[in-house]
Amino acid sequence: MEREQPLPPEVLRENGQREVFCGLTSIVWLHRRMPDAFFLVVGSRTCAHLIQSAAGVMIFAEPRFGTAILGERDLAGLADANEELDRLVAQLLERRPEIRTLFLVGSCPSEVIKLDLAKAAERLGQQHRGRVTVLNYSGSGIETTFTQGEDGALQALIPLMPTAEQLAAARAQLPDQLLIVGTLADAVEDRLVSLFRRLGIERVASLPPRRSTELPAVGPGTRLLLAQPFLSGTARALVDRGAELIRAPYPFGVEGSRAWMAAAAAAFGVGQERVAEVLDPLVERGRRALAPQREVLAGKRLFLLPDSQLEIPLARFLSRECGMELVEIGTPYLDRQLMAEELALLPVGTRLSEGQHVDNQLARVREARPDLVLCGLGLANPLEAEGMATKWSIELVFSPIHGIDQAGDLAELFARPLRRRAALSFA
Amino acid sequence: MELTLWTYEGPPHVGAMRIAASMEGVHYVLHAPQGDTYADLLFTMIERRDKRPPVTYTTFQARDLGGDTAELVKRTIAEAVERFQPEALLVGESCTAELIQDQPGALAAGMDLGGVPVVSLELPAYSKKENWGAAETLYQLVRGLLKPQLPAPGTPKPDPTRWRAEGRRPRVNLLGPTLLGFRCRDDVREITQLLSCYGIDVAVVAPLGARPADLMRIPTADANLCLYPEVAGTLCSWLERSFGMAAVRTVPIGIGATVAFLRELHTVLGMELPAELQPGADGVCEAERRSRLPWYSRSVDSTYLTGKRVFIFGDASHAIAAARVASRELGFQVVGLGSYSREQAREVRAAAKELGLEALISDDYLAVEAAIAEAAPELVLGTQMERHSAKRLGIPCAVISTPLHVQDVPARFSPQMGFEGANVIFDSWVHPLMMGLEEHLIGMFRHDFEFVEGHRSHLGEAAPAPAPAPTQEAAPGHPTAITPGNGELRWTADGEAELARIPFFVRGKVRRNTEAFARERGLACIDGETLYEAKAHFSR
């Protein structure tokens, strides 16, 4: 992934209290993407409480996640943690025989006491061979921030992906395929796949798949297109398996999505004319859909707090296509290589911050009095009460926002709080 | 290790956060890894608060573990005190910090913080839970603040009737209400108003809305009302021991309990019992007319509620109160009673015994679900967690206790306590049940295309998808057994067809009774006649 870097913008690096989720939170959407998987966190009551606080407003007849809570006996070494885990997994699989993939998810407590979940996954996989695949990744707060949990989960799936040669032999097809990586909404995924077909790219696969057992192949001939910017580890691991990374900005907004699809088309040798023929009508329509939102957003000042690593591509979209002014873009983690195309599109002089000192950052927010603040739910209502409009950031990983056709909807997510403020009146 | 799909309580540091966030002028420095700030959402989203909870987290990461995390704690404490200028500081750890043992409380004690009172919290995260954490934090905070006021040993107890000699109205403290408690906001308002009707003032409400200076006024009251024993029980006992303050421990949820609470309070304060709190010749006390529940429950529309089978689970106080209201004031039959509050297990067991039941004391969601399935109730009164089980089992459900979610912190006035609380309880517990007329008509006509089985049209939901019920289509008397029962028992098609005729909300119980009956008689096969035999047998 060597390549010339564009001029690096100056980045403010901060250390202090971070107001972010840990990687365990990724379970909240991954359990819906792969309904045949179960996510078993090995951690404390805090971990269990986190997930149910996030997802517990939905009522589950059959829970798709749970926590193996460590007790004092486990910490004191009085109980063999591995035996305990085996017992719990057997109990769980008895209740839920339809589970095909079991993720053992590491947490802060399990990592601090150095419980080897990778080994445990291997052992349990053997015990339940043929029934369920057991995998492991870390969602701990000390190692991962929010969406990085998905990066971990996908990396755990990679060793199970068949090689392209195996699949090609089975299907008597050429191994060339486009692999879209990162969770997409079902409708968005279908739409993008059909557009790639129109461009002449026939074999398109997704990671994660909709069923945990239907993993796409990977190997030489696989070209990798990242739909989400938070997949550093997954991208590197797929490249290690022989896939080739397509460099592109991320598919947010008309411009980003077009460039993203065009980059894939170029990688497959599709001519520019064909690309223009398929995509330009969509671009035209996408711009029309954006116009009313642009009216609300243009000239408004935006402050983005760190949360998901989606901040930079979103800021690029909101500034270039919606006319917003960027006060500061915060990101929990900046992968300069995977973000290079995005950084090059940002207005010169944009203030970027990596990491967080939440109180200092809030002081900057209060000083700047932006028109809209993108932030987490721990801060949104308090900032609203101070008179600032906010857009809560978590919604962006739960909404269909990718692709040219979704550009209007994506802009609407940001215009809505502003329109609402204007619409409410209690006089 | 313990498998948990849903947890009834959070870790103890969330209990401590509830105390800090409920109060004003208190700040909490919490040694915790990155990510534990999720707990802020409980306050900003579920409680819909308009300010950040007064909590500063150290949010250490893996790379900090190689360095000096103790230094990080000290830096965080110094910054928090400087920035927020609290009147009292709580210092503690979350579960992960407990493992690395930086002793943040001791570190804070060794720092020069300009004389801010510091309470070091020892909350064992791997053995205790949220309510314990809240109770311990409240107790330690008040104990720390009241230390200078402790009366010397041998000092005579203050007389709870001294208000008379001092020529003022009696005054009491309301102890226990917190954020993330069940309807505390409105319970406080209802009880305060109720007390004022009887000429009793409120001295301090704590922790909800109190400042450290308010906690220091606690001993000026004539008695403590322990409204939420889960949170204030420890504190009330200590105040009783150390300051000789009387505590009223009846929780005023339900008509009977509210009247008992008022009588107890009048006795403690040495006040004459007003006529409206004295039972009349017919057993009715006038005060109950302050609520609509007694009349609503006596009115003929409620007759069909008689003997409805109800399963109750929650924290100890709410579960015990609900059992009394359900059995005596609504005429339900309580078929299961339990709680996740191990600290109050004895009280729950006693209440269950009175109803001829064995109490279920468990924090295992699956055990509770199994107990519900076994009891086959027509209504579940439980927590947010029981809504999951009830959905799975297809049973109507109302929430009576924490854990709760955002819909149980409503905008409207909705206490559980006092006379208005009883009104709220009547409406919310009866609502999920099928309305009387609908219940009759579904019992009579089963072939409707819109009002199908299990459908409660007053809830505005679409009709449930028709259940796959091959047995209903099978000709009665068909010799092949369809349902394998549980091992030895088989239901014939004819038996299944009769079972399908039983209204759906009691069908679970009828199935169980019939199977028990068949097993008792050594029958291998259950047909329609067996079902009617069993019905007659159990109706005796």
Side-chain angles (χ1 to χ4, degrees), chain B residues 330-354:
Chain B
L330 292 174
F332 292 150
Q333 184 196 352
V334 180
V335 296
L337 175 62
S339 173
Y340 57 82
S341 316
R342 283 185 196 280
E343 290 85 354
Q344 279 102 342
R346 193 185 306 165
E347 290 87 333
V348 182
R349 288 207 176 91
K353 205 170 167 200
E354 263 180 52

Side-chain angles (χ1 to χ4, degrees), chain A residues 307-323:
Chain A
D307 189 54
S308 61
Q309 300 181 48
L310 291 172
E311 295 82 9
I312 291 172
L314 290 173
R316 179 262 303 158
F317 161 67
L318 290 163
S319 91
R320 291 174 64 98
E321 296 184 50
C322 302

Side-chain angles (χ1 to χ4, degrees), chain A residues 90-149:
Chain A
Q91 189 188 334
L92 174 68
L93 292 177
E94 191 187 332
R95 181 185 155 96
R96 303 293 309 282
E98 75 285 8
I99 296 169
R100 288 293 158 263
T101 304
L102 176 67
F103 287 95
L104 299 180
V105 191
S107 68
C108 301
S110 75
E111 278 166 28
V112 168
I113 65 168
K114 305 209 182 316
L115 195 58
D116 193 341
L117 291 182
K119 270 253 170 59
E122 210 177 291
R123 185 183 65 245
L124 284 161
Q126 269 160 11
Q127 275 175 29
H128 301 279
R129 183 182 296 283
R131 258 191 73 196
V132 60
T133 308
V134 186
L135 299 173
N136 154 251
Y137 72 94
S138 166
S140 74
I142 56 176
E143 295 281 359
T144 61
T145 306
F146 194 32
T147 47
Q148 283 176 332

Side-chain angles (χ1 to χ4, degrees), chain A residues 172-183:
Chain A
Q173 273 174 330
L174 289 171
D176 278 26
Q177 70 162 349
L178 177 64
L179 182 62
I180 303 177
V181 182
T183 295

Side-chain angles (χ1 to χ4, degrees), chain A residues 197-220:
Chain A
R197 295 237 163 91
R198 271 199 236 166
L199 287 169
I201 304 173
E202 279 304 320
R203 296 197 44 225
V204 186
S206 294
L207 183 71
R210 291 184 196 184
R211 291 188 56 80
S212 65
T213 47
E214 290 165 7
L215 287 166
V218 65

